[in-house]
Amino acid sequence: MGRAGADLDGLLQAMRRRAPQGAETLWEFIRCYYRLAVPRRRVCRHHVAPFDYVWASYSQQLGDLVVWANRGGAKTELGSVTSHLDSIFRPGCQTRILGGSLQQSERMYAYLTGKWQPHFADLLAAEPRSRRTVLRNKSVIEVLTQSQRSVRGQRVQRVKCDEVDEFDPEVWRAVQFVTQSRGGTRASLEAFSTMHNAYGLMSQVVDRATDVGPLIYGRGHGASEVLAGQSVGAAGGGLSAGGAVEGEQGQGAGGGRTWLFAWCLWETIEKCRGDWSCSRCGLSEDCQGRAREADGFIGIEDALAQKRRSGRSAWESEMLCMRPRQDRLVFPQFSRSRHVRRVVRHGQSPVYRSLDFGFANPFVCLWAQVVGDDPETARVEVLEEYVQPQRTVAEHAAVLKDRPWPVRATYCDPAGWQRSDVTGSGACQELRRHGILTKSCQSGIIEGVEQIRAMLAPALGPVRLVIDGGCERLVRALECYHYGASVGPGSELPVKDGVHDHLIDALRYLMINLFGRRGGKLREVRYW
């Protein structure tokens, strides 16, 4: 080894003895040891720079994190970087990697195993195994499989979930309960994914996460700048084979919430060359000069080739991180901006109830008022929703009657009239015993779906279906109700996913009973 090489090696060894204590030091550490220049510049107004996620994860200031990023946007690589940093600087840190498939789990793990040589091999307790690595400081990194059996029983500080949009929902629910703070390391679950489907799991995870925009952009700074003054530990510690970041960890700004970190192609593309003509560039329609501000790593020529090979909807969802393609949505006409607002009860407008029965699956009730007498222009305004599984009919009846509005009629699934061979009674008969009479109208699923579509987007005039903002489950159902991917018998029917279909069924019964097969008249049925 020459003198220059020896000096460089000595410098790297010296850097390794002390955990990075600020954002700038951390960025240099990653550049020197991992040969990664993580982009630090946000380009889109509502996005962050990839390094903002790295700093938030390393500094433990925000708790659970969701990373929504573009294809090729370094999600998996950066997840491996933060896992490696946790393992070497936090003794006893238990990290589990769970991908949408075993192959995805192993991909992040493979990135990790490549980081031990040449500078960190002495920290290993033994050679890394195919799915498990143990360090001399008692930190452990292990790959989990996409199964409840693999996930349940784990009690670890860190879980990295890669490609969440491909997770089994039951496994995702199970993994929510495996993190536990211990040994000065704060518990954290981190989710990484693009968003393939408007009705997929990642879409739900993103919707529930807290937007980090106010924290990041409140003063025009990046997240790493905002948090830079909050060091990893209250006191700097050294690192040896069993070294540690010393000092008590603060609770930070997380407060048990989940924080969203989103970036797209423009945060990860290389800086546009000055001689590149926007007028002749195939990216100009979407770029609008953003690439001139970028400091990423994706080549412009590579991005152009990807755009040429993809359809518009896939390009927008996979690379620009817009809401996913809607080609299989049942109600693409639905828009929160057009159809969701605060609904005020009009005393003169009749109120109707609509039910979908269930026990293991939820029992659903929607209350809606009809504004106007003309069936061609009347507007339906959903006031409230009730969604509850595993309750008896008597318990539901008590809730249904505990509303201040006089109800003109209660509509339901015709199947509610079927009597059980065991009890000799059906749901409608049970409700009758509690003073609630129901009516139903035979109809097909497609007929009800078409009626909802007509109310969402009339051929003439304003929208005729409005949902109160408090009906979060119904709003989500209208956004996510979708067709299956298969072609053949039954493919024209929406998927019965056990979640969204029950709310849509209740809405269908309401529309069919009010407007379907009526000869152009709203039914005036008095409530007994």
Side-chain angles (χ1 to χ4, degrees):
M1 180 185 294
R3 180 172 181 178
D7 290 346
L8 177 60
D9 186 66
L11 177 62
L12 290 174
Q13 290 298 325
M15 288 178 62
R16 203 194 71 168
R17 296 189 187 100
R18 182 177 179 84
Q21 295 297 305
E24 186 65 30
T25 306
L26 177 65
W27 189 87
E28 287 291 346
F29 186 96
I30 293 171
R31 185 180 66 84
C32 290
Y33 282 104
Y34 308 135
R35 304 290 182 89
L36 296 173
V38 184
R40 292 182 288 181
R41 182 174 297 172
R42 71 173 179 93
V43 177
C44 301
R45 180 182 177 188
H46 298 296
H47 285 171
V48 304
F51 184 71
D52 293 337
Y53 151 72
V54 175
W55 175 251
S57 177
Y58 176 74
S59 63
Q60 298 193 113
Q61 296 299 316
L62 296 180
D64 292 348
L65 309 177
V66 173
V67 174
W68 174 21
N70 55 297
R71 190 64 70 188
K75 303 180 297 297
T76 303
E77 176 67 89
L78 295 182
S80 75
V81 166
T82 56
S83 296
H84 195 262
L85 292 168
D86 282 336
S87 298
I88 64 177
F89 289 127
R90 305 188 196 281
C93 181
Q94 298 286 314
T95 300
R96 300 296 180 265
I97 298 172
L98 178 62
S101 66
L102 179 58
Q103 182 181 15
Q104 288 164 340
S105 299
E106 291 176 336
R107 185 179 299 122
M108 183 181 286
Y109 184 72
Y111 285 145
L112 264 164
T113 56
K115 292 178 171 57
W116 300 111
Q117 298 290 347
H119 304 295
F120 302 98
D122 61 310
L123 303 183
L124 296 170
E127 283 297 312
R129 294 160 59 185
S130 61
R131 298 182 188 175
R132 181 179 171 89
T133 298
V134 181
L135 276 68
R136 291 171 60 189
N137 68 1
K138 307 302 182 184
S139 292
V140 177
I141 305 165
E142 187 173 340
V143 170
L144 301 179
T145 59
Q146 186 69 198
S147 70
Q148 291 196 58
R149 182 176 180 179
S150 175
V151 170
R152 292 186 183 277
Q154 299 280 343
R155 289 293 179 270
V156 299
Q157 295 105 316
R158 300 289 211 220
V159 178
K160 309 279 184 173
C161 297
D162 198 17
E163 289 302 339
V164 167
D165 223 14
E166 299 180 20
F167 269 45
D168 180 326
E170 292 299 326
V171 173
W172 174 252
R173 280 189 281 271
V175 83
Q176 306 306 304
F177 302 98
V178 306
T179 58
Q180 187 175 68
S181 299
R182 189 166 62 246
T185 300
R186 184 178 182 178
S188 176
L189 187 152
E190 297 181 7
F192 308 81
S193 193
T194 51
M195 195 186 297
H196 312 301
N197 302 311
Y199 42 81
L201 182 58
M202 186 60 177
S203 178
Q204 299 174 40
V205 171
V206 166
D207 285 344
R208 292 170 184 168
T210 302
D211 188 351
V212 298
L215 172 67
I216 293 176
Y217 307 128
R219 297 184 179 180
H221 298 303
S224 57
E225 295 171 86
V226 172
L227 297 175
Q230 306 178 30
S231 62
V232 177
L239 176 70
S240 61
V245 178
E246 299 174 359
E248 182 178 354
Q249 298 295 331
Q251 291 301 310
R257 292 181 290 180
T258 300
W259 297 82
L260 174 63
F261 283 74
W263 64 80
C264 72
L265 172 65
W266 309 121
E267 278 76 37
T268 53
I269 199 169
E270 66 180 351
K271 186 177 182 65
C272 182
R273 301 187 297 271
D275 59 346
W276 196 278
S277 172
C278 290
S279 62
R280 297 195 302 271
C281 178
L283 299 175
S284 61
E285 176 187 359
D286 302 308
C287 175
Q288 297 182 354
R290 291 184 178 93
R292 297 191 185 280
E293 306 172 34
D295 68 344
F297 49 86
I298 297 177
I300 292 176
E301 291 286 358
D302 291 339
L304 279 165
Q306 292 169 358
K307 184 175 182 180
R308 292 189 195 103
R309 293 193 295 262
S310 65
R312 182 65 193 178
S313 61
W315 171 256
E316 290 181 348
S317 63
E318 301 277 356
M319 298 302 293
L320 304 186
C321 293
M322 298 181 180
R323 281 289 173 175
R325 55 186 182 273
Q326 300 183 342
D327 49 338
R328 287 197 283 142
L329 291 184
V330 176
F331 302 116
Q333 309 91 338
F334 179 75
S335 164
R336 288 184 183 238
S337 62
R338 297 182 63 206
H339 300 103
V340 181
R341 64 169 183 253
R342 176 169 168 73
V343 175
V344 178
R345 170 77 179 104
H346 299 295
Q348 302 303 314
S349 300
V351 175
Y352 299 88
R353 279 188 299 227
S354 188
L355 314 177
D356 186 58
F357 299 113
F359 185 80
N361 291 319
F363 176 100
V364 177
C365 179
L366 303 177
W367 286 265
Q369 63 184 2
V370 178
V371 181
D373 298 324
D374 187 344
E376 301 297 328
T377 60
R379 184 173 68 254
V380 174
E381 299 181 343
V382 180
L383 296 159
E384 189 176 346
E385 66 180 19
Y386 168 73
V387 185
Q388 187 63 251
Q390 299 184 341
R391 297 290 188 272
T392 65
V393 173
E395 290 175 301
H396 295 313
V399 174
L400 267 56
K401 292 192 293 185
D402 187 27
R403 291 297 182 275
W405 316 307
V407 177
R408 180 164 291 181
T410 300
Y411 302 125
C412 70
D413 183 353
W417 292 98
Q418 296 176 2
R419 296 177 182 270
S420 168
D421 293 337
V422 177
T423 63
S425 178
C428 291
Q429 288 84 358
E430 290 294 317
L431 286 174
R432 182 188 290 269
R433 291 192 186 116
H434 295 279
I436 298 176
L437 299 185
T438 58
K439 290 189 172 293
S440 58
C441 174
Q442 292 287 347
S443 66
I445 293 176
I446 295 177
E447 182 181 355
V449 164
E450 289 297 337
Q451 186 65 61
I452 295 173
R453 285 175 177 156
M455 301 294 284
L456 289 171
L460 293 173
V463 299
R464 297 177 57 201
L465 176 59
V466 175
I467 316 295
D468 185 84
C471 301
E472 296 179 358
R473 298 283 294 274
L474 178 58
V475 170
R476 189 71 189 141
L478 285 163
E479 289 179 328
C480 296
Y481 198 48
H482 64 282
Y483 297 105
S486 62
V487 177
S491 62
E492 292 299 317
L493 296 178
V495 171
K496 294 189 72 66
D497 58 8
V499 180
H500 305 114
D501 56 304
H502 296 287
L503 288 112
I504 300 301
D505 287 346
L507 187 60
R508 283 196 299 110
Y509 305 145
L510 177 70
M511 295 302 183
I512 286 296
N513 280 275
L514 286 175
F515 301 103
R517 303 181 181 181
R518 295 284 179 259
K521 295 182 179 180
L522 279 169
R523 173 174 281 193
E524 292 292 335
V525 181
R526 299 194 64 80
Y527 174 64
W528 291 269

